[in-house]
């Protein structure tokens, strides 16, 4: 049994999906969180035995006339009986505080003759706004079961399950509007060509013929349908308008007979007051910048203590392992390969957790929708629209889901531009790279008035990414050609207190993904790097060892100096050193040495691998393991100049490289999947690489 969750954007579908299935799909207090269908299993309470069903959470939509890719997913599942997710029962989720709007989609789904349960969510808010709904009369008027819900507090869930279990036996209903009066001849003749179960299905099919591939019709039927529509001069927009007028007549009658709104205004006063400030044409932007500023200051300030603690724990773990395991290859691999690689990434967990906590809070309160609203006017000048803000800001967490969220942008040109520039937003994988490099070249006690300079630099890197994204979008606006008109419609949700459980869950899940997904890659690369760094062609290592045991050397150098120089020379002669030396001529103009070059190559898989790679490279040959990766990099001396390797010029050049470069295989794969063509990820890789190289080159030679 397939049960579909359908509703307008931001009506609480995914919250209900999580409650019913026990899963934890992402939820947020803004429209467009769900851009693809999600499935899970539910147990329905029956009379005696338990019945299982597959629950499908479909992207939010306002009607059965899809305007974007995510709405097409919902359309496909509901209107194509051949679709694998075509439901046996549909739960139509409605925001009880805005019933009239929800009834449009509900009435369309009811007229499709699919068994429906109408779930009135957010009943607590409706009662708070003094909205009284006659549930019994509403059910009679619609001809379907109506259940009161508060999905956040899990109220009404058992009643909903009972209703689903019994809804397949729902008696046939009358059409809410007589659609065959709008286009009678077309509907009758279409029913002879395609197998549809009702007049409204035929009407919907005729209106969506331009995306007819969604209903798997063969070419013969398509041609016959097109000929039929041409013969009757079928005008979709005009007939959709007529249908909407008829539906709203019925909806108005239903509202008058079933809903009573009290004297108190239903508009949330607090929401209106806050919106007057947060969406102000001047204060709105300033407040947004101030919030970003607080976020990045907090990331550095609050994460310092737990980061120091993790760093100290890994140093102790390395020392303990080195001392208590038998000396040999395994000891060396564990200490200088795996533990060193993981320590480089684990130390940034507190910062990642804080970043996602702030993002979850901003999403859950409803503030993110306001950011989209105030940005719309600005975005249009650069070939984007307000909906582009959600992918751009989501890109601060991860570009992969952010690019997928661009599906709710209906305009092809704006969607492609959004996909092409979203990876320029600094994602969480860049955060470990930024913070490591900032700690190397910006003193921790440096302040600009009361503000921590490290936090200001971090915020600056994120702003550079944002500015690069909108400037690149502006260029693409003139390159890409499209006559498609653009519009921006977004419902602003009411402000809510963040669901702290959701915030905590988001932090835990994102840290797990960061640690375990990245950890697998880092361990694999660390092992490979350790092998490449621990072995050399021929008898090179034996020659170096013989050199440093000679009487001439031992007479000139202390044992510590001998160990350091021998380890350095071995690393340079290893396979990894040879590889790095091959790369060095191409990156030397940016101020990078061969060790950085190896990290640039390995971090093509994922940016955070840079830190793990540097940690492994700087640990090979370190017998004592008493220093953190940051301390080892700080102490690194350039043998040619005698100065520190990580000068401000090198550090800033490297940071800018990571701001712009496309160092993420997952992002390349998702861009291909979303655009269905390799042309776009290839262009993206080249233009971002060029930006990275040129900006690093300029920064290095300007600051050198």
């Amino acid at each position: 049994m397939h049960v579909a969750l359908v509703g307008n954007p931001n009506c609480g579908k995914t919250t209900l999906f999580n409650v019913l299935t026990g899963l934890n799909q992402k939820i947020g207090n803004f429209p467009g969180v769900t851009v693809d269908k999600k499935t899970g299993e539910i147990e329905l309470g029956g009379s005696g035995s338990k019945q299982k069903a597959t629950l499908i959470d479909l992207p939010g939509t306002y009607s059965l006339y899809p305007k974007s890719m995510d709405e097409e997913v919902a359309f496909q599942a509901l209107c194509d009986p051949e679709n694998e997710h075509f439901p046996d029962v549909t739960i139509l989720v409605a925001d009880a505080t805005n019933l009239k709007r929800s009834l449009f989609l509900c009435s369309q789904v009811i007229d499709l003759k699919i068994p429906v349960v109408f779930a009135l969510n957010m009943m607590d808010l409706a009662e708070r706004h003094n909205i009284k709904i006659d549930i019994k009369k509403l059910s009679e008027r619609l001809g379907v079961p109506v259940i009161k819900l508060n999905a956040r507090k899990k109220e009404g869930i058992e009643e909903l399950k009972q209703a689903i279990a019994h809804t397949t036996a729902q008696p046939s209903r009358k059409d809410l509007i007589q659609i065959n009066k709008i286009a009678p001849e077309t509907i009758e003749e279409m029913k002879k060509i395609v197998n549809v179960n009702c007049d409204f299905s035929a009407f919907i099919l005729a209106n969506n013929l331009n995306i007819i591939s969604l209903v798997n019709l063969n070419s013969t039927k398509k041609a016959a349908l097109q000929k039929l529509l041409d013969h009757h001069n079928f005008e979709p927009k005009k007939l959709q308008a007529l249908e909407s007028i008829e539906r709203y007549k019925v909806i108005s009658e239903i509202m008058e007979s079933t809903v009573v709104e009290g004297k108190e205004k239903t508009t949330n006063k607090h929401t209106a007051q806050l919106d007057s400030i947060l969406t102000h044409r001047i204060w709105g932007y300033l407040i947004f910048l101030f919030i970003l500023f607080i976020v990045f200051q907090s990331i550095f300030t609050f994460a310092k203590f737990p980061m120091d603690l993790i760093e100290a724990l890994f140093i102790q773990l390395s020392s303990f392992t080195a001392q208590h395991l038998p000396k040999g290859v395994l000891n060396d691999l564990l200490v200088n390969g795996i533990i060193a690689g993981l320590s480089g990434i684990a130390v940034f967990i507190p910062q990642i957790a804080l970043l996602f906590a702030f993002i979850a809070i901003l999403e859950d309160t409803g503030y993110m929708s306001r950011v989209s609203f105030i940005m719309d006017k600005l975005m249009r000048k650069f070939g984007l629209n307000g909906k582009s803000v959600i992918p751009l800001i989501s890109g601060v967490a991860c570009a992969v889901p952010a690019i997928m969220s661009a599906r709710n942008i209906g305009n092809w040109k704006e969607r492609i531009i959004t996909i092409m520039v979203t990876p320029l937003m600094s994602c969480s994988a860049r955060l470990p790279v930024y913070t490591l490099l900032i700690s190397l070249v910006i003193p921790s006690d440096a302040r600009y008035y009361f503000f921590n300079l490290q936090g200001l630099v971090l915020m600056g890197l994120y702003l550079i990414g944002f500015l690069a994204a909108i400037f690149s979008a502006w260029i693409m606006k003139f390159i890409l050609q499209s006559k498609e008109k653009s519009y921006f419609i977004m419902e602003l949700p009411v402000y809510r207190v963040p669901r702290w459980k959701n915030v905590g869950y988001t932090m835990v899940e994102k840290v797990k993904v960061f640690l375990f997904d990245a950890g697998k890659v880092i361990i694999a690369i660390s092992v490979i790097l350790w092998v490449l760094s621990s072995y050399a062609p021929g008898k090179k290592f034996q020659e170096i060892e013989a050199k440093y045991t000679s009487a001439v050397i031992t007479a000139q150098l202390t044992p510590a100096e001998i160990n350091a120089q021998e380890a350095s020379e071995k690393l340079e002669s290893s396979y990894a050193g040879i590889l790095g030396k091959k790369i060095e001529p191409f990156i030397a103009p940016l101020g990078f040495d061969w060790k950085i070059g190896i990290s640039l190559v390995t971090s093509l898989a994922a940016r955070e691998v840079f830190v793990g790679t540097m940690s492994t490279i700087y640990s090979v040959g370190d017998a004592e393991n008493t220093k953190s990766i940051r301390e080892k990099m700080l102490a690194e001396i350039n043998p040619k100049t005698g100065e520190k390797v990580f000068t401000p010029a090198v550090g800033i050049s490297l940071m800018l490289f990571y701001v712009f470069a496309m160092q993420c295989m997952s992002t390349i794969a998702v861009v291909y999947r979303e655009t269905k063509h390799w042309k776009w990820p290839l262009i993206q890789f080249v233009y971002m690489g060029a930006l990275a190289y040129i900006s690093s080159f300029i920064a290095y030679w300007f600051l050198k």
Side-chain angles (χ1 to χ4, degrees):
M1 180 178 180
H2 286 139
V3 179
L5 270 175
V6 185
N8 297 159
N10 208 37
C11 66
K13 279 189 301 87
T14 306
T15 301
L16 181 57
F17 177 83
N18 289 341
V19 170
L20 288 170
T21 62
L23 298 176
N24 281 295
Q25 295 296 333
K26 181 182 179 182
I27 54 177
N29 188 20
F30 61 94
V33 175
T34 307
V35 294
D36 203 355
K37 50 186 172 287
K38 307 281 192 317
T39 59
E41 296 291 323
I42 55 171
E43 286 188 350
L44 305 174
S47 55
S49 63
K50 294 278 186 182
Q51 181 184 357
K52 286 192 175 180
T54 301
L55 187 66
I56 308 145
D57 183 19
L58 295 172
T61 183
Y62 291 103
S63 72
L64 295 178
Y65 301 116
K67 301 288 191 301
S68 58
M69 284 181 68
D70 55 338
E71 290 186 348
E72 284 180 11
V73 173
F75 172 83
Q76 184 180 21
L78 292 172
C79 299
D80 178 10
E82 302 297 320
N83 186 277
E84 61 175 327
H85 296 298
F86 186 74
D88 300 297
V89 178
T90 298
I91 304 173
L92 204 307
V93 185
D95 177 355
T97 64
N98 202 341
L99 182 59
K100 188 172 184 177
R101 185 198 61 193
S102 300
L103 281 174
F104 187 88
L105 176 64
C106 177
S107 66
Q108 284 190 317
V109 176
I110 287 173
D111 281 348
L112 283 177
K113 303 299 181 190
I114 301 172
V116 169
V117 176
F118 193 47
L120 275 177
N121 195 23
M122 306 183 199
M123 282 300 295
D124 55 330
L125 290 178
E127 288 166 6
R128 199 179 303 163
H129 295 160
N130 206 16
I131 300 171
K132 299 186 187 302
I133 302 172
D134 188 330
I135 301 295
K136 185 180 177 185
K137 193 177 284 185
L138 180 61
S139 175
E140 291 172 355
R141 193 69 182 81
L142 294 175
V144 301
V146 178
I147 307 296
K148 293 197 298 183
L149 275 184
N150 182 350
R152 273 188 162 204
K153 295 183 179 177
K154 301 182 182 179
E155 294 173 357
I157 300 301
E158 287 306 314
E159 291 84 350
L160 178 65
K161 287 182 177 179
Q162 292 282 346
I164 297 167
H166 294 94
T167 297
T168 49
Q170 205 175 75
S172 59
R173 305 172 299 252
K174 291 182 180 178
D175 291 334
L176 288 171
I177 68 165
Q178 298 302 310
I179 198 71
N180 56 4
K181 290 183 179 177
I182 294 177
E185 294 176 344
T186 307
I187 290 173
E188 287 305 317
E189 291 181 36
M190 283 198 73
K191 287 165 69 177
K192 294 175 184 174
I193 301 173
V194 291
N195 183 24
V196 290
N197 63 338
C198 62
D199 291 349
F200 187 60
S201 291
F203 183 76
I204 283 291
L205 205 57
N207 276 279
N208 294 286
L209 200 59
N210 58 329
I211 50 172
I212 206 71
S213 58
L214 293 171
V215 290
N216 298 324
L217 290 176
N218 61 40
S219 56
T220 307
K221 285 186 177 178
K222 281 183 186 177
L225 284 172
Q226 188 59 60
K227 187 177 178 182
L228 170 67
L229 297 181
D230 292 341
H231 176 72
H232 290 291
N233 293 322
F234 192 87
E235 298 179 61
K237 288 186 178 177
K238 181 181 175 183
L239 295 174
Q240 286 172 25
L242 287 174
E243 185 215 339
S244 299
I245 291 170
E246 290 300 312
R247 286 203 182 277
Y248 275 114
K249 283 181 185 174
V250 175
I251 290 169
S252 296
E253 290 171 9
I254 293 173
M255 289 293 293
E256 285 176 13
S257 61
T258 60
V259 180
V260 177
E261 296 183 4
K263 292 181 181 178
E264 186 183 337
K265 278 187 166 183
T266 55
T267 305
N268 189 307
K269 291 179 181 176
H270 297 301
T271 294
Q273 288 168 350
L274 281 172
D275 276 346
S276 66
I277 301 170
L278 297 180
T279 61
H280 189 271
R281 59 193 177 92
I282 296 172
W283 296 117
Y285 293 109
L286 293 177
I287 290 170
F288 179 51
L289 281 175
F290 179 72
I291 288 173
L292 287 182
F293 171 77
I294 294 296
V295 167
F296 293 120
Q297 286 288 314
S298 302
I299 284 175
F300 261 102
T301 305
F302 298 141
K304 188 175 185 309
F305 174 72
M307 286 178 73
D308 290 344
L309 188 63
I310 293 171
E311 203 170 67
L313 285 174
F314 267 96
I315 290 173
Q316 287 184 7
L317 178 63
S318 293
S319 300
F320 179 84
T321 308
Q323 291 170 10
H324 289 81
L325 279 183
K327 300 292 181 188
V329 174
L330 180 62
N331 185 315
D332 199 30
L333 171 63
L334 278 175
V335 175
N336 296 324
I338 295 173
I339 295 177
L342 281 179
S343 68
I345 205 74
V347 73
F348 296 102
I349 287 176
Q351 291 184 328
I352 296 292
L354 277 172
L355 176 67
F356 279 103
F358 281 118
I359 291 174
I361 290 169
L362 293 177
E363 287 180 349
D364 230 25
T365 53
Y367 179 69
M368 294 297 271
S369 296
R370 274 72 188 181
V371 174
S372 293
F373 175 74
I374 62 174
M375 287 288 185
D376 180 54
K377 194 173 179 181
L378 178 67
M379 292 286 115
R380 286 186 182 281
K381 295 176 181 174
F382 297 95
L384 304 168
N385 79 18
K387 283 188 177 179
S388 304
V389 174
I390 296 295
L392 290 178
I393 292 182
S394 300
V396 173
C398 179
V400 173
I403 287 169
M404 289 178 66
S405 70
R407 289 179 184 181
N408 66 9
I409 300 173
N411 184 287
W412 172 83
K413 179 178 174 178
E414 291 172 347
R415 179 171 170 269
I416 287 292
I417 293 177
T418 303
I419 289 173
M420 294 297 282
V421 304
T422 293
L424 284 168
M425 298 298 290
S426 288
C427 63
S428 59
R430 287 178 172 106
L431 186 59
V433 182
Y434 290 165
T435 49
L436 174 63
L437 295 172
I438 287 172
S439 70
L440 290 175
V441 299
I442 308 292
S444 60
D445 56 352
R447 294 190 172 275
Y448 185 77
Y449 291 98
F450 299 104
F451 308 119
N452 183 308
L453 193 57
Q454 290 186 333
L456 288 175
V457 172
L458 182 63
M459 182 178 169
L461 292 171
Y462 276 78
L463 287 178
I464 289 171
F466 174 71
L467 292 174
I470 60 171
F471 179 73
S472 302
W474 182 74
I475 300 287
M476 291 177 196
K477 171 185 170 184
F478 298 105
I479 296 173
L480 295 177
Q481 299 298 321
S482 172
K483 294 181 180 178
E484 198 176 353
K485 290 184 179 178
S486 172
Y487 63 91
F488 175 58
I489 300 172
M490 175 175 273
E491 183 187 356
L492 297 181
V494 294
Y495 291 102
R496 290 179 183 149
V497 175
R499 286 162 280 203
W500 297 112
K501 183 180 175 184
N502 184 43
V503 173
Y505 174 79
T506 302
M507 289 171 64
V508 172
E509 282 302 304
K510 297 300 180 185
V511 166
K512 277 167 64 179
V513 169
F514 174 75
L515 190 59
F516 293 109
D517 287 9
K520 293 173 191 170
V521 178
I522 287 166
I523 287 177
I525 290 178
S526 296
V527 171
I528 294 169
L529 270 175
W530 175 84
V531 172
L532 291 175
S533 306
S534 301
Y535 296 93
K539 297 182 177 180
K540 195 66 185 175
F541 276 8
Q542 288 89 327
E543 293 169 6
I544 294 170
E545 286 167 3
K547 172 184 169 183
Y548 283 96
T549 52
S550 67
V552 177
I553 296 290
T554 52
Q556 293 176 351
L557 301 175
T558 65
E561 289 173 333
I562 290 173
N563 287 337
Q565 289 190 18
E566 183 182 343
S568 175
E569 201 167 323
K570 276 186 171 178
L571 184 59
E572 202 164 342
S573 303
S574 67
Y575 289 107
I578 294 168
L579 175 66
K581 293 288 183 182
K582 295 282 184 189
I583 301 167
E584 196 169 30
F586 299 100
I587 56 174
L590 312 183
F592 305 161
D593 66 5
W594 61 273
K595 291 182 182 177
I596 297 174
I598 293 173
S599 300
L600 293 182
V601 172
T602 56
S603 63
L604 278 171
R607 296 178 180 93
E608 59 269 43
V609 174
F610 170 85
V611 179
T613 301
M614 295 301 278
S615 189
T616 302
I617 289 175
Y618 278 90
S619 296
V620 171
D622 180 6
E624 297 179 352
N625 289 299
T626 55
K627 293 181 180 177
S628 66
I629 170 62
R630 193 177 61 83
E631 291 169 331
K632 290 173 185 173
M633 290 173 73
L634 266 177
E636 181 75 356
I637 299 295
N638 186 328
K640 294 177 184 173
T641 63
E643 297 176 352
K644 287 187 175 181
V645 168
F646 291 94
T647 61
V650 173
I652 290 170
S653 170
L654 194 49
M655 280 186 259
L656 286 174
F657 187 90
Y658 274 95
V659 167
F660 297 120
M662 170 63 100
Q663 303 277 103
C664 182
M665 292 298 181
S666 302
T667 303
I668 291 172
V670 81
V671 170
Y672 166 71
R673 196 180 74 176
E674 294 297 302
T675 58
K676 313 290 185 195
H677 204 295
W678 278 111
K679 174 179 75 175
W680 300 111
L682 183 63
I683 293 172
Q684 202 171 35
F685 185 83
V686 170
Y687 99 81
M688 289 178 68
L691 269 178
Y693 197 93
I694 294 168
S695 59
S696 293
F697 179 84
I698 294 171
Y700 176 68
W701 288 96
F702 184 75
L703 297 170
K704 187 181 174 185

